[in-house]
Amino acid sequence: MGEKKHVTLHITGMTCAACSSRIEKVLNKMDGVEANVNLAMEKATIEYDPAKQSVRDIQEKIEKLGYGVATEKVMLDIEGMTCAACAARIEKGLQRMEGVERATVNLATNSAVVEYKEGIISVEAILEKIKKLGYKGQVRKEEEGAGVKEEQLKQKQRQLMISIVLSLPLLYTMIAHLPFDLGLPMPDWLMNPWVQLLFATPVQFYIGGPFYVGAYRALRNKSANMDVLVALGTSAAYFYSLAEAVKTIGNAHYMPNLYFETSAVLITLVLVGKYFEARAKGRTTEAISKLLSLQAKEALVVRDGKEVKVPLEQVAVGDTIIVKPGEKIPVDGIVIAGASAVDESMITGESIPVDKKAGDRVIGATINTTGTLTIRAEKVGKDTALANIVKIVEEAQGSKAPIQRLADVISGIFVPIVVGIAVLAFVVWYFFVAPGDLPKALEVGIAVLVIACPCALGLATPTSIMVGTGKGAEHGILFKGGEYLEETHKINAVLLDKTGTVTKGKPEVTDVIEFQEGMLDYAVSAESGSEHPLAQAVVEYGKRQQIPVKPLERFTALAGHGIEATVAGKRVLVGTRKLMKENNVDMSQHEAKMVQLETEGKTAMLVAI
């Protein structure tokens, strides 16, 4: 058996847990395939043996079930093309790649538009292929996937508003006919069956059209899902009402039993649920977007002896990168020159910047604070620490908790059972409870069909996992999978691996031991020239204590040691033991006190004047 491969496919057309359960079951029957389909994320995580199955086989199986595998589109700028043969060569080369659906190369604009299956192939692999063909490609602009999702959400909102506007008059007729008198006026025209038909038809077939499509796909594949229940229940109400309306033709005295409001209001309520579900998904994926936004967008790279700003995507392993004070470190790498303090709090949670010098490793997306660093890129793109954190969050959102697997098993057989119960309820009411009362029996059957809709059963669990892991990531807590999230209710103790204390993310002065009158005046004045968080804490303390700032004549930051400054004509040193030793300052009498403060988790700073 060969080595197994992993792929994540974005599946379209799933509407309920029965859909995801069916796809998972069918894929797992394929030889050499293990699949995990997540309804909330609309993704299938698949492990397969390439010797037995290809991604194309898996994709075809999904499409045969009536669902789709989403494609992404990327626009590339291509350098090096000189004639139509170049464009044709790139086009053919890309179209031969597994996962690329369509590639169009335009020689006139030196660009290419590539449609590809996300999960099967990456943009990096496409760019690598162009490079192998002898050309240079780069992404024209950051893809606006969030904008597409925003537009989809707006479309759902528009459909919902149309449905509400058309359903409200019908809902009014239902409320006005409640058994107790509300005193609501009832216009005759609103009780006209043809007026009600006019309101209900667009909701039933235009707004509710996707339910019919979903039901058809499910039944064609010998399965049943939520769409089957909604389509059956609302159609029964709609077509019974239509038949009643037809009976009024030529018979002005006939009082029809109309249930147009039932079908329209039910579709509207289901749409409300779907809209809130889409919003929950959107908010949760923001956590991943926020994580991705932490990385730098471009890097200052040394190429051919010149410093050039390039997009992050163009940074390669081995590149020499200059990172100036206040800038984000673009990729994971090793310092080859310079010294500085780096704020790594977004990775480690430690608020105090870590001193870095030649030979030390740095992490992408952390912030360089004081000095200029020259680093060699070691890990770029999907190999960086931040990219791996994003991957963990995505995998956690897509993983299944044990309780969800149980929900999926139940939802797989739920719909046929509900349909059977609805038919049984109809028969019992029509023949025994209210013999011959078709409207009442139909009402009971429809109620069973729609109220038993398995939305909550199949959707609540994956959505809660998705929202939970997303919220956790937003607050700096990472869950490796759904099963760990499910077990959190059993936690009775939390252990924090911190340097002696739980910090609030910002250092502050806690103790001042003054051995010389006016020492603090000089320390605060000297630190006013530094951007280091420890220096800022000293300056803030000085402001609170209203300490007068003396003129700062000279200032030098000594990375990893502290600072040296000239304040009001006096030389001032503020920093570590190492700084004092290098300047032959005797500090032996203060060593015991420093050790005591450090054991309390405090950072002790020495001041020499």
Side-chain angles (χ1 to χ4, degrees):
M1 184 187 285
E3 190 181 340
K4 288 201 167 187
K5 288 188 177 181
H6 290 81
V7 66
T8 303
L9 302 179
H10 180 197
I11 298 177
T12 59
M14 293 193 295
T15 55
C16 68
C19 299
S20 57
S21 181
R22 175 155 179 77
I23 296 168
E24 190 173 290
K25 201 179 289 181
V26 169
L27 291 181
N28 283 327
K29 283 180 182 173
M30 294 176 75
D31 191 19
V33 174
E34 284 179 42
N36 178 6
V37 181
N38 188 292
L39 170 66
M41 291 289 288
E42 295 177 336
K43 283 184 178 179
T45 307
I46 301 161
E47 188 180 87
Y48 69 100
D49 184 351
K52 295 178 180 177
Q53 305 287 351
S54 69
V55 177
R56 181 69 65 187
D57 296 332
I58 295 166
Q59 183 185 322
E60 284 173 0
K61 183 66 81 173
I62 292 167
E63 287 169 352
K64 203 173 177 183
L65 288 169
Y67 305 94
V69 177
T71 58
E72 296 290 324
K73 191 182 281 187
V74 66
M75 183 170 273
L76 307 172
D77 285 324
I78 298 177
E79 292 177 26
M81 292 193 294
T82 55
C83 64
C86 298
R89 184 162 180 254
I90 296 169
E91 207 168 272
K92 281 180 186 171
L94 293 177
Q95 286 181 339
R96 286 197 194 104
M97 296 179 79
E98 187 178 37
V100 172
E101 292 292 297
R102 192 177 291 104
T104 308
V105 180
N106 189 313
L107 175 65
T109 58
N110 286 318
S111 65
V113 177
V114 184
E115 280 185 48
Y116 64 98
K117 298 284 186 187
E118 188 187 18
I120 300 176
I121 193 168
S122 66
V123 175
E124 288 81 8
I126 292 167
L127 292 172
E128 188 61 34
K129 179 68 175 176
I130 292 169
K131 191 177 177 183
K132 282 181 181 175
L133 290 168
Y135 306 92
K136 186 180 177 185
Q138 67 181 59
V139 179
R140 175 165 286 184
K141 61 178 179 180
E142 193 174 337
E143 290 304 291
E144 296 172 355
V148 172
K149 285 180 182 173
E150 192 66 34
E151 184 52 43
Q152 288 173 348
L153 189 63
K154 281 180 182 173
Q155 189 181 347
K156 284 184 188 291
Q157 192 177 24
R158 282 193 296 269
Q159 287 184 331
L160 178 59
M161 292 312 295
I162 293 168
S163 193
I164 289 171
V165 168
L166 293 172
S167 301
L168 275 176
L170 298 171
L171 181 63
Y172 180 83
T173 65
M174 185 174 76
I175 294 170
H177 283 92
L178 286 172
F180 42 88
D181 186 20
L182 294 172
L184 292 173
M186 177 54 64
D188 289 338
W189 66 270
L190 202 51
M191 288 309 297
N192 186 309
W194 304 107
V195 171
Q196 290 197 17
L197 179 70
L198 198 65
F199 282 120
T201 302
V203 177
Q204 186 70 34
F205 298 108
Y206 168 63
I207 305 294
F211 295 118
Y212 285 104
V213 174
Y216 168 72
R217 283 177 180 164
L219 294 171
R220 190 183 67 183
N221 289 290
K222 301 181 181 68
S223 71
N225 61 7
M226 183 195 84
D227 294 333
V228 173
L229 292 184
V230 176
L232 267 177
T234 58
S235 295
Y238 177 86
F239 287 110
Y240 177 80
S241 303
L242 180 60
E244 286 288 287
V246 170
K247 286 180 184 178
T248 63
I249 299 173
N251 187 357
H253 301 291
Y254 182 73
M255 295 298 291
N257 292 296
L258 301 175
Y259 293 96
F260 285 122
E261 80 285 348
T262 305
S263 64
V265 170
L266 284 174
I267 287 172
T268 303
L269 289 174
V270 174
L271 281 184
V272 168
K274 285 191 169 290
Y275 174 69
F276 283 121
E277 171 203 330
R279 280 190 61 181
K281 286 180 187 176
R283 278 200 304 272
T284 306
T285 51
E286 277 176 23
I288 291 175
S289 301
K290 282 177 184 172
L291 281 173
L292 287 169
S293 70
L294 292 173
Q295 65 186 7
K297 298 291 181 283
E298 50 188 17
L300 188 63
V301 180
V302 178
R303 286 185 181 161
D304 302 323
K306 293 178 183 175
E307 293 181 8
V308 187
K309 275 210 169 181
V310 299
L312 188 63
E313 297 80 24
Q314 292 181 29
V315 177
V317 173
D319 275 350
T320 300
I321 300 166
I322 309 292
V323 187
K324 294 181 179 176
E327 291 182 345
K328 286 182 181 178
I329 294 169
V331 294
D332 295 3
I334 292 178
V335 178
I336 54 177
S340 182
V342 177
D343 180 356
E344 295 184 340
S345 57
M346 57 83 65
I347 294 286
T348 63
E350 292 292 349
S351 58
I352 307 298
V354 181
D355 292 322
K356 300 287 181 181
K357 59 185 186 303
D360 290 340
R361 293 192 173 274
V362 288
I363 305 165
T366 56
I367 300 167
N368 182 27
T369 59
T370 51
T372 298
L373 293 174
T374 303
I375 68 169
R376 183 176 65 247
E378 295 282 305
K379 290 179 180 177
V380 299
K382 64 179 186 299
D383 297 322
T384 62
L386 182 63
N388 281 314
I389 289 171
V390 171
K391 189 180 175 188
I392 288 169
V393 175
E394 284 181 329
E395 284 176 356
Q397 287 188 338
S399 68
K400 286 190 177 181
I403 190 70
Q404 188 183 336
R405 297 192 181 278
L406 176 63
D408 285 352
V409 170
I410 296 167
S411 64
I413 57 170
F414 191 81
V415 178
I417 291 171
V418 168
V419 173
I421 293 169
V423 171
L424 183 64
F426 175 85
V427 170
V428 169
W429 275 83
Y430 188 73
F431 290 104
F432 303 105
V433 180
D437 191 346
L438 182 61
K440 193 65 187 171
L442 195 62
E443 198 176 306
V444 170
I446 291 167
V448 173
L449 280 175
V450 183
I451 291 168
C453 170
C455 288
L457 175 74
L459 194 64
T461 311
T463 303
S464 62
I465 289 167
M466 192 174 77
V467 172
T469 52
K471 273 287 171 194
E474 207 175 293
H475 292 91
I477 302 164
L478 301 181
F479 290 94
K480 204 172 181 182
E483 61 271 31
Y484 307 109
L485 184 66
E486 187 180 320
E487 294 293 310
T488 51
H489 72 282
K490 295 179 183 175
I491 292 172
N492 54 26
V494 178
L495 305 179
L496 298 167
D497 178 17
K498 302 287 284 181
T499 52
T501 181
V502 179
T503 62
K504 36 167 144 161
K506 193 178 178 184
E508 63 180 38
V509 175
T510 57
D511 303 81
V512 176
I513 300 150
E514 202 167 357
F515 294 101
Q516 184 178 330
E517 186 69 34
M519 180 207 79
L520 204 54
D521 300 13
Y522 284 95
V524 170
S525 303
E527 291 286 31
S528 65
S530 174
E531 296 173 349
H532 197 285
L534 291 178
Q536 292 301 307
V538 173
V539 173
E540 282 298 317
Y541 179 79
K543 285 178 183 174
R544 288 198 303 274
Q545 299 297 319
Q546 297 181 336
I547 291 168
V549 178
K550 297 179 182 294
L552 182 65
E553 294 159 17
R554 190 175 63 84
F555 174 85
T556 307
L558 307 166
H561 292 67
I563 63 160
E564 182 179 346
T566 303
V567 178
K570 292 191 177 183
R571 182 173 173 235
V572 180
L573 300 173
V574 184
T576 61
R577 293 178 177 85
K578 197 182 285 184
L579 177 67
M580 299 301 154
K581 282 177 184 173
E582 286 174 358
N583 286 274
N584 300 316
V585 177
D586 181 21
M587 50 175 190
S588 54
Q589 59 179 312
H590 311 305
E591 184 64 34
K593 186 63 181 174
M594 283 186 73
V595 170
Q596 181 200 325
L597 292 168
E598 285 168 348
T599 55
E600 292 171 12
K602 295 168 183 176
T603 303
M605 294 165 66
L606 291 158
V607 181
I609 303 165

